[in-house]
Amino acid sequence: MEELSFYDVKSKSKFTATEYDVREKSGRFFAVTKSQSGPHECWRVLGKEQAAKLKK
């Protein structure tokens, strides 16, 4: 998968990940990965075209 950057709100740090899920919620697309600093998830907003490309 393509490498994406995420921001962890709880630890206030940026990181990159290549393992993530593409999810749709309320008509918007998000990339979701596990946080590197805890058990929570980090979400990143995706555009429709980027989501379609990453879902393949």
Side-chain angles (χ1 to χ4, degrees), residues 15-56:
F15 65 95
T16 57
T18 54
E19 291 192 22
Y20 47 83
D21 296 326
V22 176
R23 298 186 194 167
E24 184 178 356
K25 187 172 186 177
S26 304
R28 297 186 76 186
F29 293 95
F30 300 89
V32 184
T33 190
K34 291 189 181 211
S35 169
Q36 294 180 328
S37 66
H40 56 279
E41 294 180 326
C42 297
W43 292 55
R44 175 197 163 121
V45 177
L46 299 173
K48 275 187 179 181
E49 292 159 10
Q50 188 179 18
K53 186 175 115 181
L54 294 174
K55 274 187 171 182
K56 291 181 182 178

